[in-house]
Amino acid sequence: MEQKAILVVSHEYRRAKRMCDFVLALIGILLLSPIFLIVALMIKLDSPKEKVIFVQTRTGLRNEPFSIFKFRSMRKSNQPGGARKHVYDWENGVPDDFVFKSVSGNDPEVSPIGAFVRKFSLDELPQLFNVLRGDMSLVGPRPEIPAITDLYSRAQQTRLLVKPGVTGWAQVNGRSNMNHGQKMALDSYYVQKLSLKLDIQIIGMTIKQVLTGKDAV
């Protein structure tokens, strides 16, 4: 009986969340369209021969792959997880002390414009279209690359039970300054405490974080 109640609540929550995601993402795209255009123009002027949007395969709900959209922040197309592929061979899940080495703002291939859009998370804005498509939610665990999720342990796969998000509980509690074990613990907490109230809290914390550029990747 208790399990059935949980499933009913989860179903209602997901329906309400999908509606909020669609409406808020659409509003966000409309309101932020001038910023979309300005960032796209800056990237194109900096690297005329490169594409403005970077597309990468990530792992989504229930381990299904999808294409994530980001503003390109590097002058070359070999972004993390793209041409710069990492090879992992863990046998018992992703180690807790693992830290994904993303390309830093000091990398010579990261343009000054790229470093700026990363600092204020402007490179993430195109993911609002992922939210409209239903690939992602505004709030949820950040989507990981398949090379890592393919090696998840059974316990680590818990974070794949909900849609990945543009922002999440782990991001507002450390963002890039944490190892995999810390991130997994925060994502597991979010999955266990799913609620619109928590989602609203995370969105508010995200706005504050973005405005200050704190803990940017």
Side-chain angles (χ1 to χ4, degrees), residues 19 35 37 44 49 68 86 90 93-94 96 105 110 115 122 125 137 149 159 162 172 179 189 198 203 211 217:
M19 183 180 298
I35 296 179
L37 293 174
K44 200 62 180 177
K49 296 183 179 180
I68 196 172
H86 300 263
W90 306 302
V94 183
D96 285 345
V110 177
L122 297 176
L125 287 180
S137 174
T149 58
R159 75 190 298 269
V162 297
V172 298
N179 61 33
Y189 173 87
L198 180 57
I203 291 174
L211 291 177
V217 176

Side-chain angles (χ1 to χ4, degrees), residues 13 17 21 27 47 49 66 77 86 104 111 126 128 134 150 160 178 191 195-196 200 202 211 215 217:
Y13 164 75
K17 181 166 183 170
D21 280 341
I27 292 174
S47 306
K49 296 183 179 180
F66 73 98
S77 59
H86 300 263
S104 71
S111 67
L128 290 175
D150 286 347
L160 303 178
M178 65 176 66
V191 173
S195 70
L196 290 177
I200 293 171
I202 292 172
L211 291 177
D215 296 331
V217 176

